[in-house]
Amino acid sequence: MAVVALVACTAMQGLAALPSWEGSLLACVLAVVALLSTRRVAVRLGAVAVLFAAWTLVHAAFAMQARWPASLDGEDVTVTGRVIGLPRQSGADVSFVMAPESKRGDAHAPQGRLRLTWYRHAAAPAPCERWQLTVRLRRPRAVLNPGPADGERTSLLRRVAATGYVRAAPGNRRLSVGICADGWRARIAKALDAAVGERRARILKALAVGDTRGLDAADWDTARATGVSHLMAISGFHVGVAGGGGVLLGRLLYVSFPGLALRLPRQIAQALAGLAVAGVYAVLAGLGLPTVRSLLMIAVVVLAACFRRRTNGASVLALASLVVLGFDPLSVLSAGFWLSFAGVGFLMLCVAPAPEGWRGWLSGLLRAQAVMSVALLPLCLWFFGSASLVGFAANLVAAPLVSFVAVPLTLIGCALLGAPTVASLVLTPGCWVMSLLWHLLEAMARMPMAAVGVAEGIVATTVLATAGAAWLFAPRGVPLRGCGALLLLPMLLPLRDSPQHGAFRMWALDVGQGLAVLVRTRSHTLVYDAGPAYAGGRDAGAGVVLPAISALGIGPVDRLVVSHGDSDHAGGAASVVSRYPAAAPLSGEPGRLGFPSLPCTGQAPWSWDGVFFRFIEVPEARGRKTASNDRSCVLAVVGTGGRLVLTGDIGQGAERRMAAADLASPLPTVTTMAHHGSRYSSEVRWLAAVRPAISIASAGWRNRFGHPHPSIVDRHAAMGAEVYVTARSGAIRVDFPVAAPPVVAREWRRPATRYWRE
């Protein structure tokens, strides 16, 4: 039954549009009636499938209806609500989530959670506080590119109805201070900082209360490269460890007061104590999916013990999954749901009871870790686009140290925070353990091929690889277990659709207000610009460009061209260079970059796989200093069937100085709109010389510059060009065949294939 419910909930996520919630709710009622009125197994399973499918559609419909109306995008509105979660401070900017007070019937009142940023605000709002704020909102919309990331899906999963920022207004004020679990989490995190220091406490805070705000990008890179990300926040196993601590406390209580057994059996009291401690720990963790799954499984076991019922692992896991899906069927959109339930399921299926003694214990530990490393590999590649090759060895060391040393010390230290001196005596050894472990993990992360990425897979290859992993680690007696490894090959060694000699492809990535382009010949890859840097130390190079390269299977990067030094073009370049140090960077403004590069002026043309690359000269301005935008490298990529012109941010002055002979070509041409389609670019003479057949503007959705300007779009269209904008299309792939004109092969946002896509 649990499998049927899971398949039904998952299948609904493939819809491009949703039916009405009224019809879905009626289907739920009919399914319940059918379920209660028959004993036939086939009919009951069919009713379960309809019930969970319709229930999923009801949740999805209400979540989508709660989104901020597109007609009100960009309007200021005053909201009153409570801060939930842990606000994140980055420099002078604060990001947080607010739950507004519901006002049904008011079109200007948000109906769901708001993800807000308060720029240049010295102090972060505290959890549980109630505020009145003037905010500017828009519907949740994220960049959409090759790779697993989907910000709009995440917004749906977290019930975020709008994103925006706080406007300066005299009415912005704190109304009250409340009490909630997030407030306790924040206070514990602050006490840990005071006890052992903010830097040393960053991992202890993650283990104690799920506060990962202290972990920077380098920490997460290390965790991902070594496959220990699940240990850096509160995992389901940690909840089990906390429950075990509760059982131990119950046993000690009965040893100290034996007479308690006359009032309540010791086994039941221990089980209830374990559930209580695990429940408190899960609440302090923020009730993430892995902790909820573990807590539900513990609750089922405890209830069975209280009612003298016998249970087995499969039934407990199935019941926990049904409860999670019944409460929130959209949880199947989360990687945590699949990794959590699949991990426990594989352990139950593939790890047989080990013989007694230390050899049996060691063999069981090795087999369990091997199962987790290999069996979850397909899901990790599907959800994250990469997986760790050193994860088996790293987890073999990290999992016992974190779960049985660091977590108990951290929890005991948190219980003693009322006496800071005593607490520090317990927390300090935990810091030492995590510091030594982290040095080891950093060394492992630097190993060649520590992590591997694969090209975008399909559902069939993921299911096939998962089945192969289960077959490979099946218990003794299952025939031909080694053949399970063969089912992993379609995912690990996917077929490559490489361009022919003389042909190439380009991807204009969706990086918001910026530019990033990938060019692939048969065996070489060029990156032209790497998108902007974002607030909080993030950038499009690490967040968009590198995941896209992995998802498309076109690494490594052979050359990086940074058109000029502006942040919206060069902000992510350092991340690309860090991953591919042999990428031979070139730039129109090498002095403005934070890494060594050569100027693109004076560079000789080169050829890859029958495709010709050359920089088109942009003469210096006479009698005055050349503007930064006009120093952009203009790159022409010429195949046998078409040409690509990458323009950077050149303006009309630079366009007038360029030689018409350098711009002309008999081949059909694709061009990026200069300066994102600014009205001060795309001069008529320049367009007449280039004669674009396809023009692509890389611009952010509803950006404050108004790019691309309508007059410039019309100007390109008047020249006969098909115009595409990444804000509307998402990432755009253009193929340049050997003997045919260029063609737009795919737009990642159009047509809409998922109901949550804007």
Side-chain angles (χ1 to χ4, degrees), residues 238-248 270 273-275 277-278 298:
H238 296 166
V239 175
V241 171
V247 171
L248 181 60
Q270 287 181 181
L275 178 61
V277 173
I298 293 172

Side-chain angles (χ1 to χ4, degrees), residues 696-722:
I696 299 174
S698 180
W701 179 253
R702 298 181 65 93
N703 65 85
R704 61 190 178 93
F705 306 102
H707 295 161
H709 196 273
S711 65
I712 301 303
V713 172
D714 293 342
R715 188 177 297 171
H716 279 259
M719 291 290 177
E722 297 180 52

Side-chain angles (χ1 to χ4, degrees), residues 162-246:
T163 62
Y165 58 94
V166 179
R167 300 277 288 169
N172 292 343
R173 67 184 188 277
R174 181 192 296 111
L175 300 177
S176 63
V177 177
I179 299 175
C180 63
D182 288 327
W184 297 338
R185 296 170 66 200
R187 285 191 288 273
I188 292 173
K190 188 175 181 179
L192 287 172
D193 287 338
V196 295
E198 186 173 349
R199 180 63 183 170
R200 298 177 69 198
R202 71 190 194 285
I203 298 178
L204 298 189
K205 290 188 294 185
L207 298 177
V209 292
D211 181 4
T212 59
R213 293 176 296 176
L215 300 177
D216 57 24
D219 291 330
W220 284 116
D221 286 342
T222 298
R224 281 189 290 265
T226 54
V228 299
S229 297
H230 63 290
L231 297 175
M232 294 305 104
I234 300 175
S235 69
F237 186 70
H238 296 166
V239 175
V241 171

Side-chain angles (χ1 to χ4, degrees), residues 657-673:
R657 296 194 297 271
M658 299 173 73
D662 288 341
L663 299 172
S665 172
L667 295 172
T669 297
V670 176
T671 183
T672 55
M673 284 193 188

